[in-house]
Amino acid sequence: MKNKWMDEADHALLHTYNRYPIVLEKGEGVYLYDTEGKKYLDFAAGIAVCSLGYGHKGYTEALKSQIDLLLHTSNLYYSRPAADAAAKLAKAAQMDRIFFTNSGTEAIEGALKAARKYAYTEGSGKFEIIAMEHSFHGRSMGALSVTATESYRTPFEPLIGGVKFARYNDMESVKEQFSDKTCAVIMETLQGEGGIYPIDPEFFRGVRELCDERGALLILDEIQCGMGRTGTMFAWQDYGVKPDIMAMAKAIGGGVPVGAFAMTEKVAEKSLAPGDHGTTYGGNPFVCAAVSKVLDIYEEEHILEHVKKVSAYLEKKLDALAAKSDAVKERRGKGLMQGLAMNVPVGEVIAKAQEEGLLVISAGGNVLRIVPPLIITEDHVDEMIEKLKKAL
């Protein structure tokens, strides 16, 4: 049933989302509450953003303190929060240089520009980029150009040229797309929007070796799967296959709009220089205070160790559910980024789950996507399973 906030939104906002009939008002821990007072167990986390849940005292106090000091200047000046956040994030990412953006899509744009500028500086004449089928990197023109889904791309073509698509986890397909013009390969370490597909370790190593042999850069999109979601700070760290450039966002700010792309010193020396790239809001003191505090909390509260423990329990419970339910085809995923491929319309499952007080979302290919806050406990997993059983 619609209320005045839904009516106002439907009249004033551009209709680019088919929103669920819920007006969320506040959050506490891993629960959200709507304006009618209904309580929801949140296993969507703002699409893998709110890794610390809602109302974490240390996090909110850090943001309040920064509001009292300074919200924004510009990147024409230094700021203490930006310096702190960049140093901590570079260490966590095992990279050398950081550029803060406002979103994941902007992080992808910067990563693509950095790869092409590197090839330009090298004088290689390379410009082609290989992306993957089932990929999703964002909705700007550059990010769409490396996103494979035709329904996202077609209305906005022609997009940026020089992009080829290979099959994820198919090494021969990648080799077929390589040419003497290939400057970079871009892929998600764990595909999200495209259907929750984990990367094959042998494929991962093979792509890295091929890039090294042919003088191409490897760009990893860790916007959704990064920042602890798979049990390591970034998903590639569990495989030992380091990228040259990495895009991140979502959980790095715990809820404020911030992204970043990182690169090695080798790439930084030959890619983006003063005048090549910029942002008005990216990396301002407020969002950087959030990034800095999130990284502190991860370390202080041993978030990565917790994710490894609770995700093993989640996988066990989801496997048991899949084995018993005809509605579920299979489970796939890693850590606290899981997907259930459904034999029934996923939209109907999501609607029924909402009635039971559970928030979950979908991914491509009729998949139920489960990306809860990283602070969930085994009790929360049990609660989610019971609600999902009722929905099914």
Side-chain angles (χ1 to χ4, degrees), residues 256-293:
V256 302
V258 58
F261 60 96
M263 63 185 70
T264 63
E265 191 66 37
K266 174 186 174 183
V267 176
E269 288 174 355
K270 295 183 178 181
S271 62
L272 301 177
D276 284 338
H277 201 57
T279 171
T280 297
Y281 294 108
N284 73 34
F286 180 70
V287 298
C288 284
V291 174
S292 183
K293 189 60 181 180

Side-chain angles (χ1 to χ4, degrees), residues 55-68 293:
H56 186 288
K57 188 176 180 181
Y59 175 75
T60 56
E61 286 180 352
L63 294 188
K64 290 174 183 177
S65 295
Q66 189 58 48
I67 287 173
D68 289 337
K293 189 60 181 180

Side-chain angles (χ1 to χ4, degrees), residues 20 22 55 91 93 192 230 247 256 263 272 295 307 330 341 380 387:
Y20 299 114
I22 300 171
K91 182 180 178 181
T230 64
V256 302
M263 63 185 70
L272 301 177
L295 288 162
V307 169
E330 66 171 339
H380 295 131
K387 291 178 182 294

Side-chain angles (χ1 to χ4, degrees), residues 262-330:
M263 63 185 70
T264 63
E265 191 66 37
K266 174 186 174 183
V267 176
E269 288 174 355
K270 295 183 178 181
S271 62
L272 301 177
D276 284 338
H277 201 57
T279 171
T280 297
Y281 294 108
N284 73 34
F286 180 70
V287 298
C288 284
V291 174
S292 183
K293 189 60 181 180
V294 166
L295 288 162
D296 287 345
I297 293 169
Y298 269 48
E299 184 174 349
E300 293 163 1
E301 300 187 6
H302 309 288
I303 296 296
L304 300 182
E305 292 85 346
H306 174 76
V307 169
K308 289 174 183 176
K309 180 182 176 183
V310 75
S311 63
Y313 186 75
L314 174 64
E315 289 183 0
K316 177 183 174 182
K317 289 291 187 176
L318 290 175
D319 284 340
L321 177 65
K324 292 180 180 178
S325 176
D326 293 335
V328 182
K329 186 184 302 181
E330 66 171 339

Side-chain angles (χ1 to χ4, degrees), residues 31 41 43 310 313-318 320-321 358 376-390:
Y31 294 96
L41 176 63
F43 265 58
V310 75
Y313 186 75
L314 174 64
E315 289 183 0
K316 177 183 174 182
K317 289 291 187 176
L318 290 175
L321 177 65
L358 171 66
I376 60 163
T377 65
E378 292 182 359
D379 287 342
H380 295 131
V381 173
D382 289 340
E383 183 182 352
M384 182 276 294
I385 291 293
E386 288 307 308
K387 291 178 182 294
L388 189 54
K389 281 180 181 178
K390 293 177 182 178

Side-chain angles (χ1 to χ4, degrees), residues 110-120 122 124 126 128-131 178 181-187 207-220 242-246 262-264 266-268 270-272:
L112 297 176
K113 285 180 68 176
R116 282 198 169 167
K117 178 65 188 298
Y118 180 86
Y120 175 84
E122 288 252 287
S124 66
K126 298 178 178 181
E128 290 181 351
I129 295 169
I130 298 173
F178 246 90
K181 298 295 184 183
T182 301
C183 74
V185 175
I186 182 170
M187 59 187 185
V207 172
R208 174 72 272 180
E209 291 169 4
L210 184 61
C211 286
D212 292 339
E213 291 169 5
R214 302 291 294 270
L217 300 179
L218 176 59
I219 305 170
L220 291 183
K242 185 175 180 176
D244 301 294
I245 304 172
M246 181 175 68
M263 63 185 70
T264 63
K266 174 186 174 183
V267 176
K270 295 183 178 181
S271 62
L272 301 177

Side-chain angles (χ1 to χ4, degrees), residues 29-30 42 44-56 59 223-224 226-230 233 249-256 290-291 293-295 297-298 301 303-304 306-307 310 336 371-377:
V30 298
D42 180 24
I47 316 181
V49 169
C50 301
S51 58
L52 299 175
Y54 306 95
H56 186 288
Y59 175 75
I223 291 166
Q224 185 170 170
M227 276 301 286
R229 186 148 294 277
T230 64
M233 192 62 79
K250 292 187 181 286
I252 71 169
V256 302
V291 174
K293 189 60 181 180
V294 166
L295 288 162
I297 293 169
Y298 269 48
E301 300 187 6
I303 296 296
L304 300 182
H306 174 76
V307 169
V310 75
L336 292 183
V371 283
L374 304 188
I375 61 170
I376 60 163
T377 65

Side-chain angles (χ1 to χ4, degrees), residues 192-214:
E193 183 72 22
I196 316 296
Y197 291 100
I199 200 164
D200 176 74
E202 186 176 344
F203 170 77
F204 200 5
R205 290 189 293 270
V207 172
R208 174 72 272 180
E209 291 169 4
L210 184 61
C211 286
D212 292 339
E213 291 169 5
R214 302 291 294 270

